[in-house]
Amino acid sequence: MRDAAETAVAIPLRYAQRGIGMAQAALGGARACVELRHYPANDARDPASGTQFYYHAHGSRRRPADEHGHFHVFAPRPDTPSAMPAPDDTGTLPSGFVHVAALSLDAHGRPIRWFTTNRWVTGEAWTDAGSLIALLPGLRPRARGRLAPVADWLDAMLRLYARPLATLIRRRDAVIARRAARTDRAAVFEDRTLDVVTECAVDLPADLQRLHGTGRL
């Protein structure tokens, strides 16, 4: 945790010394953030762990007013079969990846929230909380070139917030279960009014102070 905390502070500081925030760094040299465009264009993927991420921005009823954009982090689905998977309960062939969580940044590049999404948002292969949480220790965001420090920072944030993320993912499943009890589960997964399922605020300086005092977030 100490290494993760040091990295979470050191990398933004190095960018700040060059007059660059993490949101700007996440664009990988692009001059502007075009809505829905992925940065990097083909996403960043670690060949060893299969962890994949990208940064982008778009509107949402649940988007904070000060959000610049957000990272989406994915992992390979834990039960990927060698044969073509059968259609799921919506009649759609599942993706080979599961969405772990997303991290929002403000225009200055400060992290402001973690959040989880409904299945339709990313087209993921939905995975239950227990299986998804088990993937957290193996996540390894990696990128080459100018995005390498951004990937290292995201890796540190995932390690630093592993416990809050586990809570957020469990709450995600609870929200879906409550809604599914009132209607069809497949309909819940495709409900366009439900994009962000759960979220929690991030205040990195305060969280690091809490970590220093209690040893946990």
Side-chain angles (χ1 to χ4, degrees), residues 14-173:
R14 289 202 296 269
Y15 277 120
Q17 290 169 343
R18 296 159 47 197
I20 300 173
M22 290 303 300
Q24 183 180 352
L27 300 181
R31 294 185 177 182
C33 185
V34 178
E35 187 166 299
L36 292 175
R37 181 175 293 175
H38 289 201
Y39 300 90
N42 296 315
D43 304 352
R45 185 183 300 180
D46 174 45
S49 68
T51 307
Q52 186 170 328
F53 76 89
Y54 60 84
Y55 184 81
H56 76 166
H58 57 83
S60 166
R61 294 189 307 166
R62 298 281 295 274
R63 179 180 180 177
D66 57 345
E67 179 180 302
H68 174 271
H70 50 265
F71 291 99
H72 282 289
V73 181
F74 300 84
R77 56 181 295 204
D79 58 343
T80 302
S82 56
M84 177 65 73
D88 59 17
D89 55 4
T90 69
T92 303
L93 286 174
S95 162
F97 286 83
V98 297
H99 182 255
V100 178
L103 177 62
S104 297
L105 306 183
D106 67 14
H108 300 286
R110 294 177 295 228
I112 56 175
R113 66 166 180 166
W114 285 103
F115 64 96
T116 65
T117 60
N118 200 357
R119 183 170 67 176
W120 68 265
V121 174
T122 62
E124 65 171 304
W126 190 264
T127 301
D128 68 273
S131 299
L132 190 53
I133 291 167
L135 299 176
L136 291 176
L139 294 176
R140 291 293 179 270
R142 294 289 183 266
R144 294 182 177 181
R146 65 197 309 164
L147 281 176
V150 174
D152 290 343
W153 179 79
L154 185 57
D155 177 68
M157 291 294 289
L158 286 164
R159 288 185 284 126
L160 192 60
Y161 285 91
R163 290 177 64 91
L165 281 174
T167 299
L168 202 63
I169 292 167
R170 292 190 189 98
R171 284 174 46 210
R172 179 204 70 167
D173 277 20

Side-chain angles (χ1 to χ4, degrees), residues 174-185 188 191 193-194 197:
V175 170
I176 296 296
R178 285 197 300 271
R179 287 175 173 254
R182 302 192 298 267
T183 185
D184 181 69
R185 181 177 172 87
V188 176
D191 183 356
T193 68
L194 180 64
V197 182

